Amino acid sequence: MTSYDLVIRGGTLATAGESFVGDIGIKDGLIASLGRDLPKGAKEIDARGKLVTPGGIDAHCHVAQISSTGVWTADDFESATRSAMCGGTTTIVPFAAQHRGQSLREVVKEYHARAEGKTSIDYSFHLIVSDPHETALGQELPALIEDGYTSFKIYTTYDALKLSDRQVLDILALARRKRAMVMIHAENHDAMSWLAEKLIASGRKRPVYHCFAHNMTVESEATHRVIALAEMIDQPILIVHVSGREAIEEIRRARAKGLKVFAETCPQYLFLTQEDLDKQGLLGRMCMCSPPPRDKINQEYVWRGLADGLFDVFSSDHAPYRFDDPEGKMRGGPDAHFKMIPNGVPGLEVRLPLLYAEGLLKGRITLERFVALAATNAAKIYGLYPRKGSLAIGADADIAIWDPEREVTVSQSILHDNMDYTPYEGMKVKGWIDTTISRGEIVSIKGEPLAKPGRGRFLPKDKPDAAIPLGRSIFTEDISDIF
Ligand code: URP
Ligand code: ZN
Ligand code: ZN
């Protein structure tokens, strides 16, 4: 008879495909059994009345990263993983971000050194490619893909990150040859810069004007454009942090054509609006991110996309800059114009509890969608499945247990990142995380951290099936040999 290290008993066990009441037996950090009335474990958790899902995967967060304008994120790997695990997340996939002129190999080494000994849960890396120079394209990226860095983010905006359309094509073609997933930040850089200059010159400097510069049209135009580039060379892509209706419609159109266009959205597009950037005093800068939050109607479009499968992934895009930091949200002082303020909002810890309470428990998304968005789809799209994102026998015992009765008022004082604000301060919700388990170890109970930094492991990623081209062409002759 198997003796388990831990048995989770009597919960509703949910995967992205089905749910049933039962027990999970855990042995040596892995899921060993699923069943009813399993033998007693060395430890036991009574999960009756609770929901038991795969631990969350946050596949878009910025940790120990220097932004393109030279500002450090407020969270390092210790505080970020502590915060994530207290919110039901058991794997994070932040970025190893290349600045122009840097070798990608060196960048990857640097980020490993930043994470070493500090993480409480498992982690992997996407690469940010801002300088696809000859060595990067010809040698570094192909070798890094083989080593498990099978996804990269590229940008159509930010002065120091932006790639031209031909550079985007270079990256897509490489991803096609080597089977990697390309994540794209889609906003029209020139249109935004032009608008921002004019807005600032006319005295419209407050954070709310960031929403005017980064309007929905610049997002949907760039979304349309990168989808067209991807279609041209027959390569799947994932559009990150989609904020509202017109960008969603571009993705729907692409999907209707049969294209493999994956999509991500984030809590800020469900729970914040442009009005939050228009708050009095200095508060508006707390909610500044790119693309910015839109309005209530757009929030409903995003909810619909989460419910009906338009969105594959729900990530935090945690990009933490403190309010009390003159190099953070107070950059440029109280009179700074919106272009000087670092973009980004925190969200690692609240991402899943908010989706659980406001999405699942309020009936906006099904249980299967909740699990798919929280963990399973990210694992599949980024090459971590089935080790992560599943409750299969043999998978890592990364598990989140959810309490539908727990009532919480969101406040920075209950969170565990290194921030001095949350944009969701004061929000009241019913339903929250109860327990987080990483590789069989209970790492957080009722929002309190238990794990020691240093136990997290690096996860090289497989080449994802999601990145396999469709095998279709817009050309009358097969010219795919040139890609
Ligand atoms: O405003 C944001 N999203 N900041 C983080 C960087 C990015 O583009 O994801
Ligand atoms: Zn981005
Ligand atoms: Zn981001």
Side-chain angles (χ1 to χ4, degrees), residues 60-62 65 67-68 73 95 128 153 155 157-158 161 185 187 210 214 240-241 264 266 268-269 287-292 316-321 329 342-345:
H60 184 159
C61 48
H62 303 268
Q65 188 183 323
S67 78
S68 61
T73 55
F95 298 94
I128 286 177
K153 182 176 177 193
Y155 290 75
T157 184
Y158 293 122
L161 296 173
H185 178 135
E187 291 183 289
H210 172 77
H214 291 243
V240 292
H241 44 50
E264 173 202 80
C266 317
Q268 47 272 36
Y269 307 117
C287 302
M288 256 185 80
C289 56
S290 291
S316 66
D317 192 8
H318 182 81
Y321 301 103
K329 285 289 180 188
N343 287 191
V345 291

Side-chain angles (χ1 to χ4, degrees), residues 296-357:
K296 294 268 178 216
I297 295 170
N298 278 289
Q299 288 182 349
E300 287 311 311
Y301 275 92
V302 175
W303 276 118
R304 198 176 305 165
L306 287 167
D308 70 14
L310 182 280
F311 288 112
D312 302 283
V313 190
F314 186 70
S315 309
S316 66
D317 192 8
H318 182 81
Y321 301 103
R322 285 176 67 100
F323 205 65
D324 68 3
D325 180 358
E327 282 308 307
K329 285 289 180 188
M330 285 309 294
R331 197 159 194 240
D335 298 323
H337 61 67
F338 63 85
K339 287 269 281 179
M340 297 180 79
I341 300 162
N343 287 191
V345 291
L348 266 176
E349 193 164 343
V350 298
R351 171 185 75 110
L352 290 184
L354 292 184
L355 187 67
Y356 173 62

Side-chain angles (χ1 to χ4, degrees), residues 249-468:
E249 283 170 351
E250 292 296 341
I251 296 162
R252 278 203 200 284
R253 223 184 332 269
R255 292 262 182 92
K257 268 172 120 177
L259 302 181
K260 264 192 186 178
V261 176
F262 300 95
E264 173 202 80
T265 193
C266 317
Q268 47 272 36
Y269 307 117
L270 296 175
F271 304 115
L272 301 177
T273 64
Q274 175 176 319
E275 282 175 29
D276 291 302
L277 279 85
D278 205 10
K279 281 185 180 148
Q280 288 310 304
L282 300 171
L283 296 180
R285 39 181 96 195
M286 286 183 179
C287 302
M288 256 185 80
C289 56
S290 291
R294 306 293 178 190
D295 59 16
K296 294 268 178 216
I297 295 170
N298 278 289
Q299 288 182 349
E300 287 311 311
Y301 275 92
V302 175
W303 276 118
R304 198 176 305 165
L306 287 167
D308 70 14
L310 182 280
F311 288 112
D312 302 283
V313 190
F314 186 70
S315 309
S316 66
D317 192 8
H318 182 81
Y321 301 103
R322 285 176 67 100
F323 205 65
D324 68 3
D325 180 358
E327 282 308 307
K329 285 289 180 188
M330 285 309 294
R331 197 159 194 240
D335 298 323
H337 61 67
F338 63 85
K339 287 269 281 179
M340 297 180 79
I341 300 162
N343 287 191
V345 291
L348 266 176
E349 193 164 343
V350 298
R351 171 185 75 110
L352 290 184
L354 292 184
L355 187 67
Y356 173 62
E358 295 295 304
L360 177 63
L361 295 184
K362 290 199 172 163
R364 288 173 164 134
I365 57 171
T366 62
L367 180 51
E368 288 72 23
R369 287 295 299 148
F370 175 67
V371 178
L373 290 160
T376 310
N377 286 353
K380 288 183 177 168
I381 289 171
Y382 296 121
L384 294 168
Y385 189 82
R387 180 175 173 190
K388 302 294 187 187
S390 101
L391 292 181
I393 291 172
D396 282 355
D398 285 8
I399 291 165
I401 304 177
W402 303 92
D403 181 353
E405 300 302 328
R406 192 155 165 230
E407 294 186 34
V408 164
T409 302
V410 179
S411 159
Q412 186 54 33
S413 63
I414 66 163
L415 302 178
H416 300 84
D417 57 14
N418 187 35
M419 285 296 288
D420 55 358
Y421 79 89
T422 166
Y424 311 105
E425 188 75 34
M427 192 173 164
K428 288 186 192 325
V429 293
K430 186 168 178 197
W432 202 257
I433 183 69
D434 183 84
T435 302
T436 313
I437 296 163
S438 162
R439 281 184 280 102
E441 182 179 333
I442 300 169
V443 293
S444 170
I445 296 181
K446 302 217 184 301
E448 286 313 312
L450 301 173
K452 292 253 176 319
R455 64 170 296 288
R457 291 185 190 153
F458 170 67
L459 303 162
K461 294 190 265 92
D462 295 332
K463 294 184 176 189
D465 287 352
I468 296 173

Side-chain angles (χ1 to χ4, degrees), residues 87 150 157 160 228 386 478:
T150 58
T157 184
D478 180 9

